[in-house]
């Protein structure tokens, strides 16, 4: 049985990927410093899979710990989720982001090469494209991220590409996620950010629970059918499967690939609200307000490459994304959290 090191495996996307890996017959070792997640997620993973991953609480910048993990376990590949992701904070504290996301990835990569692990899957983001002038993003379009967070993602992609060229044994997949939403169908794991959410779906979830009163819909004068922003929302379980397929692909193919993971079909903010209301039976009161600075009217993935090279295609539509989000939040509400 192959063992995969999952950095950031206690976080939102990481925890769903750990479930997909364990369901797919992999052993998992998690390294997470818990700066944006909680240990309780391990109990939830155990309940879902009847199997608990090995867990190390620690930092990807801790070389000694990394070398201990590679000595203790026969790791065949690494999926690297550990990173900071708040765009606003990345602008106000750039060094914190360059240190954690870029320097952290370099330390991890150095230790991986020392340990002769040859497979690396990296969490990148559609944010690396910046504003390419078209709404459908394709992997070979120019990249020009407009914030520090996006630049950290692009830098790591480039570092990995250069390292794969210099180390012919190293195989790398950079996965550019669009808008991950939803939760595991058990309702046991999902996205529950600390403090007031910045993102749409956790905000809607907290309104449904009565924690927040009303949603601000940022912009209603975009050149889109209903005037609100269009995004390519992707169910987190579909995203998780994409990582397992990326590992399969790398087993068969040398070199480095960069692949979009999105459904290819965008939905507006008002469509997401209406669908959530329909599946939850909860009213989501909202106000149409000014556009949020830095937001684009519309973007979505060209997901052809993911289908062609990984054999990946999103299975879940927005009803399922909203149902699973609501199941997760209603269970949180029942626990009083
Ligand atoms: P998350 O914050 O829920 O998970 C990240 C995990 O990494 C957390 O558990 C955190 O404690 C851990 N972590 C952070 N820095 C660490 C460090 N230095 N050492 C060890 N652990 C550390 O975020 P997520 O939404 O699951 O995102 C996972 C990855 O996917 C991130 O790299 C993020 O940038 C990327 N991504 C996320 C989205 C999104 O919308 N959620 C979109 C595109 C890309
Ligand atoms: N959005 C909104 N109100 C909010 C949060 C988000 O109207 O409180 C909109 C945002 O303008 C964008 C969409 O919802 O059109 C998705 O935003 P999110 O922050 O979830 O992801 P982003 O696309 O910015 O990465």
């Amino acid at each position: 049985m192959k063992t995969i090191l999952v950095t950031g495996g206690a976080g939102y996307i990481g925890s769903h990927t750990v479930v997909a890996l364990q369901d797919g017959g992999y052993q998992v070792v998690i390294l997470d410093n818990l700066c944006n997640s909680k240990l309780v997620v391990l109990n939830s993973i155990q309940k879902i899979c009847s199997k608990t991953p090995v867990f190390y609480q620690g930092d990807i910048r801790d070389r000694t710990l990394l070398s201990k993990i590679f000595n203790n376990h026969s790791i065949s590949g690494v999926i690297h989720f550990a990173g900071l992701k708040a765009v606003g904070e990345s602008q106000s504290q750039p060094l914190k982001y360059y240190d954690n996301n870029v320097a952290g990835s370099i330390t991890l990569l150095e230790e991986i090469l020392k340990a002769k692990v040859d497979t690396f899957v990296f969490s990148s983001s559609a944010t690396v494209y910046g504003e390419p002038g078209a709404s459908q993003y394709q992997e070979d379009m120019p990249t020009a991220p407009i914030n520090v967070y996006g630049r950290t993602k692009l830098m790591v992609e480039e570092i990995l590409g250069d390292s794969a060229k210099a180390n012919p044994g190293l195989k790398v997949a950079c996965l550019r996620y669009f808008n991950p939403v939803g939760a595991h169908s058990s309702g046991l794991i999902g996205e529950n950010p600390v403090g007031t959410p910045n993102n749409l779906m956790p905000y809607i979830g907290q309104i449904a629970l009565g924690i927040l009163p009303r949603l601000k819909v940022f912009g209603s004068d975009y050149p889109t059918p209903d005037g609100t922003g269009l995004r390519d929302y992707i169910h987190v379980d579909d995203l998780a499967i994409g990582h397992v397929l990326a590992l399969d692909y790398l087993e068969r193919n040398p070199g480095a690939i960069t692949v979009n993971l999105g459904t290819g079909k965008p939905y507006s903010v008002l469509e997401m609200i209406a669908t959530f209301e329909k599946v939850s039976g909860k009213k989501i009161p909202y106000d149409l307000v000014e556009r949020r600075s830095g937001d684009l009217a519309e973007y979505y993935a060209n997901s052809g490459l993911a289908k062609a090279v990984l054999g990946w295609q999103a299975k879940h539509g927005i009803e399922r994304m909203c149902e699973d989000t609501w199941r997760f939040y209603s269970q949180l509400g029942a626990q009083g959290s």
Side-chain angles (χ1 to χ4, degrees):
M1 196 180 271
K2 294 204 162 169
T3 303
I4 304 298
L5 172 64
V6 180
T7 74
Y12 172 47
I13 305 168
S15 57
H16 290 78
T17 304
V18 169
V19 167
L21 286 167
Q22 294 196 153
D23 284 351
Y26 287 95
Q27 301 260 37
V28 175
V29 175
I30 295 177
L31 169 62
D32 198 304
N33 65 7
L34 301 181
C35 71
N36 198 35
S37 50
K38 295 192 182 120
L39 209 47
V40 69
V41 77
L42 295 181
N43 298 334
S44 306
I45 292 173
Q46 158 70 28
K47 278 190 199 153
I48 295 169
C49 308
S50 306
K51 198 166 154 192
T52 317
V54 176
F55 179 74
Y56 288 86
Q57 181 171 351
D59 201 288
I60 52 165
R61 291 162 293 185
D62 181 345
R63 227 176 252 293
T64 314
L65 176 59
L66 286 170
S67 112
K68 180 175 149 192
I69 293 173
F70 287 118
N71 278 331
N72 287 355
H73 305 274
S74 170
I75 306 281
S76 62
V78 176
I79 306 184
H80 178 34
F81 293 102
L84 301 174
K85 61 170 186 176
V87 171
E89 188 189 52
S90 78
Q91 295 293 99
S92 59
Q93 298 185 57
L95 295 182
K96 181 174 168 184
Y97 275 67
Y98 288 120
D99 182 37
N100 198 83
N101 293 5
V102 182
S105 298
I106 293 174
T107 304
L108 177 64
L109 185 55
E110 283 170 345
E111 293 305 314
I112 283 170
L113 291 171
K114 255 190 235 165
K116 305 211 178 323
V117 175
D118 65 357
T119 302
F120 195 112
V121 178
F122 175 58
S123 287
S124 190
S125 166
T127 192
V128 299
Y129 291 104
E131 298 175 13
S135 310
Q136 192 192 46
Y137 293 177
Q138 194 158 308
E139 289 84 350
D140 57 5
M141 277 180 168
T143 45
I146 59 165
N147 53 55
V148 171
Y149 167 69
R151 283 193 280 280
T152 68
K153 290 288 163 192
L154 186 58
M155 283 178 195
V156 176
E157 280 195 9
E158 288 172 343
I159 290 165
L160 288 170
D162 290 341
S163 301
K165 274 186 212 138
N167 299 275
L170 182 65
K171 299 183 281 187
V172 172
C174 294
L175 304 180
R176 293 178 177 164
Y177 315 154
F178 281 68
N179 285 56
V181 296
H184 187 264
S185 57
S186 62
L188 290 169
I189 52 175
E191 187 178 22
N192 183 25
V194 179
T196 306
N198 293 313
N199 297 113
L200 181 65
M201 290 311 282
Y203 207 105
I204 289 179
Q206 293 203 8
I207 293 172
L209 279 191
I211 298 170
L212 293 168
R214 299 176 76 78
L215 178 72
K216 287 184 180 142
V217 174
F218 298 132
S220 54
D221 57 352
Y222 285 111
T224 59
D226 67 18
T228 66
L230 288 168
R231 293 289 180 276
D232 184 339
Y233 297 95
I234 168 173
H235 195 294
V236 65
D237 279 340
D238 279 328
L239 194 57
I241 297 294
H243 293 76
V244 179
L245 292 174
L247 287 178
D248 290 349
Y249 170 86
L250 293 179
E251 210 166 284
R252 290 174 275 111
N253 298 280
I257 49 160
T258 300
V259 183
N260 287 339
L261 288 180
T263 66
K265 185 156 174 33
Y267 288 94
S268 74
V269 179
L270 295 185
E271 284 173 309
M272 295 307 280
I273 296 172
T275 308
F276 189 92
E277 286 183 334
K278 185 177 129 199
V279 303
S280 67
K282 294 278 174 185
K283 189 89 199 118
I284 304 299
Y286 65 85
D287 301 302
L288 302 175
V289 303
E290 290 296 294
R291 294 179 181 190
R292 183 172 65 178
S293 156
D295 272 358
L296 298 178
E298 172 182 13
Y299 62 87
Y300 56 98
N302 179 325
S303 53
L305 190 65
K307 190 169 181 201
V309 299
L310 304 182
W312 178 90
Q313 220 175 349
K315 287 200 179 82
H316 303 312
I318 58 164
E319 290 223 349
R320 177 69 185 271
M321 296 176 204
C322 291
E323 274 166 22
D324 288 341
T325 302
W326 172 232
R327 187 176 301 105
F328 173 67
Y329 273 95
S330 49
Q331 288 185 202
L332 274 186
Q335 291 158 15
S337 15

